[in-house]
Amino acid sequence: MDFSELKSNLELNGETENFVLYGVSKTDFTEELKEELENHVKRIRMVFSFGNLPHKIQYCYVNSEQMERYSGNNHSKGRANLDENGVVSVYKFHPHEITHAIMFQNLGRPHPFFEEGVAVLFGWSSVDGMALWKQKPLEYWKNKRNESENLNFEKIFDLFSTLPQDISYPFAGSAVETIIKQNGVEKFKKIYMSLNAVTRYMQVSKLIVS
């Protein structure tokens, strides 16, 4: 099932400043929920000094069966369809995936370490059901580190997509938080935009310390 077909099987729930909302029923998105969605966009825009979003996010709230048909994965809870400015989720508010959509519209797509790191940092434990990650990224990683003593920044960066997400994602979130604090937002944005999927750790380390 592609994104257009998925939307055609959902009910339009109206529009807000930054979202076109689709749901299983016509009344899935309350006014309080719409405000929560908009507040998340405002938060990301404020942190990164972004202007208005170029395109509204097509947010699709789906049931588990629809999610599996769309993603082909019965474990998936959400997915950002960046080319369609879309988010598909079994949650009515999924800040991790919304963050992906916002960052892509403003800065493009970097190495997955930074792409997921930002989404973890700003969309960590706000969704019910993510019991695995109850702590903040840095706290979680400190507790998890004892199980992963053979891993360091270089290995996690270069092997990011092959590692278990309960190791790679929280580390990326804590690393992004530290890099922003140490380098500032504007330099972080330049680093973010200069990366791509084949960037190696040694290239990143030079950007961070320069």
Side-chain angles (χ1 to χ4, degrees):
M1 180 190 297
D2 64 20
F3 190 66
S4 295
E5 182 182 355
L6 176 69
K7 287 195 300 182
S8 70
N9 289 322
L10 298 173
E11 298 284 352
L12 181 63
N13 274 226
E15 298 187 27
T16 65
E17 180 182 352
N18 292 292
F19 293 90
V20 181
L21 302 168
Y22 299 87
V24 178
S25 74
K26 292 182 178 180
T27 58
D28 284 322
F29 291 90
T30 63
E31 292 304 312
E32 290 80 9
L33 190 54
K34 291 175 182 178
E35 184 176 0
E36 191 172 17
L37 289 160
E38 287 295 334
N39 284 340
H40 186 71
V41 176
K42 290 176 184 176
R43 181 189 178 202
I44 303 299
R45 286 180 56 196
M46 183 174 64
V47 169
F48 291 100
S49 298
F50 292 152
N52 295 330
L53 289 184
H55 309 282
K56 290 190 178 187
I57 297 169
Q58 311 286 307
Y59 195 99
C60 299
Y61 166 62
V62 298
N63 58 37
S64 297
E65 181 182 345
Q66 290 168 322
M67 187 74 232
E68 182 176 355
R69 287 182 61 204
Y70 174 72
S71 67
N73 183 344
N74 61 2
H75 299 295
S76 180
K77 300 298 183 183
R79 180 167 293 185
N81 186 324
L82 300 179
D83 292 333
E84 300 280 354
N85 301 303
V87 168
V88 181
S89 179
V90 298
Y91 303 113
K92 296 175 185 177
F93 175 54
H94 201 152
H96 183 101
E97 302 301 340
I98 295 170
T99 301
H100 279 318
I102 298 169
M103 296 300 290
F104 177 73
Q105 286 197 33
N106 284 277
L107 301 179
R109 194 161 197 179
H111 189 282
F113 182 97
F114 279 78
E115 183 177 42
E116 296 299 341
V118 171
V120 165
L121 180 59
F122 293 99
W124 182 252
S125 59
S126 302
V127 179
D128 293 337
M130 289 187 175
L132 179 65
W133 297 333
K134 288 291 187 182
Q135 301 156 300
K136 291 182 179 179
L138 186 56
E139 294 171 352
Y140 180 91
W141 173 250
K142 286 178 178 177
N143 292 330
K144 192 73 178 175
R145 185 166 48 194
N146 292 333
E147 303 174 27
S148 315
E149 291 181 350
N150 62 324
L151 293 174
N152 54 32
F153 195 146
E154 180 175 358
K155 289 181 179 178
I156 293 175
F157 188 91
D158 288 342
L159 301 174
F160 186 80
S161 298
T162 68
L163 295 173
Q165 290 183 1
D166 66 330
I167 293 175
S168 58
Y169 277 42
F171 182 84
S174 64
V176 164
E177 183 177 22
T178 300
I179 293 168
I180 290 174
K181 287 180 178 177
Q182 292 181 347
N183 294 270
V185 169
E186 290 307 314
K187 183 171 181 181
F188 174 79
K189 286 159 64 175
K190 291 178 182 177
I191 294 170
Y192 189 98
M193 289 188 291
S194 69
L195 307 177
N196 57 49
V198 297
T199 303
R200 305 292 289 179
Y201 170 77
M202 290 304 296
Q203 296 167 274
V204 177
S205 63
K206 292 175 182 178
L207 292 170
I208 293 172
V209 299
S210 62

